Amino acid sequence: MDGGSSEDVVGKEGFSVGKYRSPGVKHHFSLLEKLRDLVVGGTEFKEKVEEFFGVGDDVVLKRHLEKLPVYEDKVGKQVVEVYSHVPFSNWGQSVHNTPKYTFLPTTTTGVQNIVLFAQESDLRVRCGGYRHSWANIFGETGEIFISFVGLEQVTTLPDPMSIQPGNYTGQGVPDLKTIELKEHTTEGKRLCRVGVAVTNEDFRRWAIHNGTWALPVDVILVEVTIGGVNGPICHGAGRRHKTISDYVRRIEYVDCNGKLQMVEDEKWIRTAAGAFGLLGVVTHITFELDEMTYAVMEPRKVDIGLAIPPLSKHDIPPELRADWWDDENADEMIEKANVEFERRAQDDYYSEWFWFTYQQRAWINTWNTIPLPPRSSPPPANFHPEYPTPSQTFLQWLEGWLGGVLTSHPFFNALPGFWQAQLLATMGMAALPPRFGEDETPTIVTPLCNALHFRRGVQNMRVRDMEVQIPIPGKKSRSDGGQEEEVPDWSTVRRAWWDAINLTYATARESDNPLDPETPMRLTLELRIMGGSDILLAPQRGNRHGTASIEVLSLPDAVADEEWSVFCQRLADRWGKLAPEGRVRPHWAKEWEGLRFGGMGTGDGGVGRGAREWAREVAYKDALVEWRGVVEEMGRSMGWGLGEVERRFGGGVMGEVVWGR
Ligand SMILES: Cc1cc2nc3c(=O)[nH]c(=O)nc-3n(C[C@H](O)[C@H](O)[C@H](O)COP(=O)(O)OP(=O)(O)OC[C@H]3O[C@@H](n4cnc5c(N)ncnc54)[C@H](O)[C@@H]3O)c2cc1C
């Protein structure tokens, strides 16, 4: 402005869009709102046009529409929506099959009647929500598939669900979409019964609307169903938190005889929550919620060498050595940074680190919570009741969509993987706070459920993902009082993080063509610290000091370039060595079936075992014996046998792991 420096213009405080709501800023955001309305309205408009001209998914689906005598209600008036031979693929497009029938029930009675129909026709029943799992934990060709999300919605990108305005009350909606608050359990805890078709976005809006109760943890993505998140034992972050299934207190499910059953016993819950649909079709899940709190987010971009410091500065690849690397006090800087890392990892309510491939800085997103102030008090400083705001949500959604369009375009895929990664990393880092021109050390105070879902629209871009759960070992330490105690040993986590970074560079250096360095991981390395789990088949079970949930993400083009699976195997081999055999376990919903575990794996020339056999015979050997024992006990009390339950709900990859067939 008038040739002044930025400091002359905005002063020492810097400039933040949120702080100075000038007419120009307001106008800018009002335009975004208009654009969003156009997009949301436009999708509906497009549907109408397509319907009129007889094109589009709706018409394709009409061709498959069936009228089977399977009813949503007890009086036989309303049939369950059902299609025959509609091809299924998951969001990650790693699983494909063609169910004989795809049912879309909205009531518990509907689900019961589907299972009875399956019993009469001797067909297997498997379920799906938003289909965001990469592993083939779904059904197989020729079976019955129950979809808890509409077929057009679940197969169409971009999905406008998260940018459509409105609250979610969980009332006056179909049975499987309800949310009901129930009794208090202890001080600050209350039960909440949720239908399995409720999405994370529905639940987030419900929690904001109700303003008092929230899930303590959740997956970041909002386009998932409650049933889908519980099925494969998903998780959030923070060492004090277990998996989401660990907060389940009651499971209502339809058994192999079409009977509605309820599981409340603690031992049975640990078996039935996180059962992949192998026991039956879950209809409602009762969670124990916490009183709502505010998250105090302080996202930071920090030099990669100091975000999660390596065990030795020589572990930092030359390409990432910043100026401080040559300083004589570099080791002290690493030590100081490590104190900060350990504090965040050990104590913060939520803890997460991102590294976009080849970038000099990592993104740190760890935070704590504060209680809600009394209603009469003013809100805390930097309070954002909606975060991201509707305009920011729309921008993120657009970014995800544009990312999806870009990365599926042949021109983009013709670029060397190295440049794909560089482009996406620049965009990805730029999109995360603090953004260019913003305060370098922002504080954002927002209701807990907004902070858990801090990024929206990510599902508009398809990606690939491998994640493992590494147990954090313990080490002896002396407390301030001089007693010997066992505390988490963070060196394993630091090693796991740098193993991935170093493998990325080693792979690039091994390339024949220096102008096109092989880049299998084209998106991010992500680490979340979390607790253990009491769920029998949870990969985190038994992790007394906590778990490093570490994952790598890439683009489908890295799979087409035949770089991805080799990289995943090599990384799984390295990570597998960081704990005793069978204790580093993959996330059930992510990519694991094609890998080999145990021994050295194929990547380093060893043999290992196929993932299913390894899971059955090594990693979950004892847990599966226990799981089957509890299931047998449940069956005796509920009137079914193991053979029947396996015949109706088993099969596929998970059937092979759990039932051994
Ligand atoms: C972009 C992205 C981000 C993600 N972030 C996280 C994360 O932060 N943390 C994490 O842990 N995971 C994460 N995931 C994985 C994701 O949470 C899981 O794949 C989850 O299962 C997705 O829910 P869904 O509704 O799509 O379920 P689906 O993938 O459709 O189904 C998952 C499983 O649940 C079973 N199931 C579903 N409904 C029922 C039911 N009613 N009864 C019985 N069985 C049922 C299905 O049979 C299937 O085995 C992420 C995935 C993506 C794509």
Side-chain angles (χ1 to χ4, degrees):
M1 294 193 39
D2 289 337
S5 72
S6 57
E7 206 173 292
D8 292 339
V9 177
V10 295
K12 284 210 164 48
E13 283 180 40
F15 176 73
S16 137
V17 169
K19 243 195 253 169
Y20 306 99
R21 289 189 179 268
S22 67
V25 167
K26 282 188 195 147
H27 177 65
H28 170 77
F29 281 105
S30 72
L31 286 181
L32 273 178
E33 295 292 351
K34 292 259 175 315
L35 187 56
R36 185 192 61 167
D37 294 346
L38 267 176
V39 171
V40 174
T43 353
E44 282 157 15
F45 176 69
K46 181 172 164 273
E47 275 165 20
K48 292 273 171 294
V49 173
E50 286 181 343
E51 219 175 315
F52 181 78
F53 286 106
V55 291
D57 289 347
D58 192 33
V59 175
V60 175
L61 285 176
K62 270 183 193 142
R63 262 191 260 134
H64 292 273
L65 198 60
E66 291 274 337
K67 196 162 192 297
L68 296 179
V70 178
Y71 296 95
E72 292 268 33
D73 49 12
K74 293 207 163 69
V75 291
K77 270 195 166 163
Q78 173 78 35
V79 287
V80 179
E81 191 177 338
V82 54
Y83 303 86
S84 62
H85 303 100
V86 176
F88 167 95
S89 36
N90 61 339
W91 173 83
Q93 298 191 326
S94 50
V95 180
H96 304 275
N97 59 58
T98 306
K100 182 163 185 182
Y101 297 115
T102 302
F103 283 94
L104 286 101
T106 62
T107 65
T108 301
T109 309
V111 174
Q112 289 180 276
N113 287 336
I114 296 167
V115 175
L116 288 172
F117 172 78
Q119 205 178 29
E120 276 166 32
S121 340
D122 196 15
L123 289 170
R124 198 162 256 153
V125 182
R126 297 289 296 157
C127 314
Y130 245 104
R131 309 179 182 184
H132 274 121
S133 303
W134 284 268
N136 189 0
I137 54 177
F138 300 97
E140 289 176 302
T141 291
E143 299 180 342
I144 285 178
F145 179 66
I146 298 184
S147 179
F148 290 103
V149 182
L151 293 193
E152 280 188 58
Q153 184 174 356
V154 87
T155 50
T156 308
L157 290 183
D159 175 359
M161 182 264 269
S162 66
I163 53 169
Q164 273 157 343
N167 287 330
Y168 194 79
T169 62
Q171 305 295 310
V173 285
D175 184 23
L176 300 178
K177 292 279 286 180
T178 51
I179 306 181
E180 296 164 78
L181 272 174
K182 297 284 185 184
E183 66 271 26
H184 290 261
T185 46
T186 51
E187 178 79 31
K189 307 251 179 219
R190 189 164 178 186
L191 298 183
C192 182
R193 178 176 183 262
V194 190
V196 285
V198 168
T199 63
N200 264 6
E201 179 61 9
D202 295 333
F203 197 78
R204 186 193 68 80
R205 289 181 188 205
W206 172 86
I208 291 288
H209 179 69
N210 115 335
T212 344
W213 299 97
L215 266 172
V217 278
D218 211 340
V219 309
I220 303 165
L221 191 64
V222 292
E223 291 94 350
V224 286
T225 59
I226 292 292
V229 163
N230 175 60
I233 321 175
C234 293
H235 66 88
R239 200 169 77 97
R240 71 188 77 170
H241 297 125
K242 298 179 178 178
T243 72
I244 298 161
S245 303
D246 281 274
Y247 299 91
V248 173
R249 298 291 174 265
R250 206 174 282 149
I251 288 274
E252 291 161 62
Y253 79 98
V254 174
D255 73 10
C256 51
N257 298 318
K259 219 170 139 190
L260 184 64
Q261 305 278 8
M262 188 183 295
V263 176
E264 281 183 304
D265 173 88
E266 208 185 310
K267 187 169 70 170
W268 290 7
I269 280 283
R270 293 194 288 127
T271 310
F276 315 91
L278 294 170
L279 285 184
V281 185
V282 179
T283 60
H284 292 84
I285 302 177
T286 301
F287 291 97
E288 189 170 59
L289 304 186
D290 279 357
E291 268 176 7
M292 177 72 86
T293 47
Y294 288 159
V296 183
M297 300 172 74
E298 293 177 336
R300 298 287 182 266
K301 290 174 181 169
V302 173
D303 184 85
I304 182 71
L306 301 173
I308 300 179
L311 295 178
S312 147
K313 72 172 193 171
H314 298 282
D315 291 343
I316 302 177
E319 295 85 341
L320 290 178
R321 290 176 187 171
D323 292 346
W324 61 265
W325 196 89
D326 287 318
D327 281 6
E328 55 187 29
N329 64 349
D331 289 336
E332 277 163 47
M333 287 177 78
I334 286 191
E335 205 30 61
K336 196 166 155 230
N338 187 46
V339 172
E340 175 68 5
F341 161 67
E342 290 193 5
R343 182 193 63 72
R344 289 174 184 271
Q346 181 148 322
D347 302 324
D348 280 2
Y349 184 99
Y350 184 95
S351 43
E352 176 182 52
W353 291 258
F354 276 69
W355 178 63
F356 286 90
T357 314
Y358 301 132
Q359 300 310 293
Q360 187 58 48
R361 292 194 297 168
W363 190 62
I364 304 182
N365 182 31
T366 82
W367 42 262
N368 285 300
T369 56
I370 52 171
L372 295 196
R375 274 184 201 281
S376 51
S377 318
N382 304 309
F383 181 62
H384 298 254
E386 276 293 349
Y387 179 81
T389 62
S391 313
Q392 288 167 337
T393 304
F394 178 58
L395 264 183
Q396 294 182 1
W397 183 90
L398 270 184
E399 281 158 12
W401 181 15
L402 293 176
V405 172
L406 183 73
T407 54
S408 51
H409 196 280
F411 177 75
F412 183 87
N413 291 332
L415 294 176
F418 176 83
W419 289 110
Q420 294 181 9
Q422 291 285 10
L423 266 168
L424 291 174
T426 311
M427 279 160 57
M429 265 311 242
L432 290 169
R435 280 173 288 259
F436 181 68
E438 285 180 0
D439 180 1
E440 281 283 290
T441 54
T443 301
I444 302 148
V445 181
T446 191
L448 172 66
C449 45
N450 286 339
L452 293 177
H453 305 294
F454 64 90
R455 186 92 196 136
R456 314 281 165 75
V458 278
Q459 76 126 15
N460 285 343
M461 182 172 122
R462 291 185 211 275
V463 298
R464 303 293 292 239
D465 187 329
M466 177 188 77
E467 174 180 333
V468 300
Q469 317 298 333
I470 304 175
I472 296 167
K475 65 174 184 191
K476 296 266 183 287
S477 167
R478 283 221 175 267
S479 70
D480 292 344
Q483 277 137 346
E484 194 166 83
E485 57 181 7
E486 202 166 303
V487 296
D489 176 356
W490 295 103
S491 57
T492 299
V493 181
R494 294 162 71 189
R495 189 167 296 150
W497 178 256
W498 286 95
D499 271 354
I501 296 175
N502 276 303
L503 183 63
T504 303
Y505 282 96
T507 311
R509 280 187 222 112
E510 282 163 15
S511 307
D512 301 333
N513 180 358
L515 293 176
D516 182 9
E518 197 168 303
T519 305
M521 183 178 82
R522 298 187 189 166
L523 223 44
T524 44
L525 165 67
E526 188 186 341
L527 167 77
R528 278 176 282 179
I529 298 296
M530 62 166 297
S533 174
D534 297 321
I535 301 297
L536 294 195
L537 297 184
Q540 299 87 346
R541 189 169 175 221
N543 296 353
R544 200 157 65 86
H545 293 289
T547 308
S549 299
I550 189 161
E551 63 191 302
V552 282
L553 288 93
S554 195
L555 298 178
D557 191 49
V559 182
D561 290 347
E562 297 180 2
E563 296 178 4
W564 179 238
S565 53
V566 180
F567 177 77
C568 288
Q569 183 63 65
R570 292 179 79 184
L571 198 51
D573 290 343
R574 289 188 182 204
W575 282 343
K577 288 184 203 139
L578 297 177
E581 174 56 21
R583 297 286 289 112
V584 174
R585 301 164 178 161
H587 189 313
W588 286 114
K590 305 207 174 172
E591 295 185 56
W592 55 272
E593 297 158 73
L595 297 172
R596 297 183 77 80
F597 291 92
M600 300 278 284
T602 49
D604 287 345
V607 281
R609 289 197 200 211
R612 301 173 205 189
E613 186 195 332
W614 170 84
R616 197 174 58 237
E617 305 292 341
V618 182
Y620 294 92
K621 192 167 190 233
D622 298 337
L624 281 169
V625 171
E626 197 180 345
W627 191 87
R628 285 189 294 260
V630 179
V631 171
E632 196 170 4
E633 192 181 308
M634 284 167 66
R636 269 200 303 275
S637 132
M638 292 180 176
W640 43 259
L642 290 189
E644 291 165 89
V645 84
E646 184 192 343
R647 192 175 179 89
R648 197 60 54 231
F649 303 114
V653 171
M654 286 317 292
E656 198 182 318
V657 171
V658 167
W659 300 116
R661 283 180 282 267

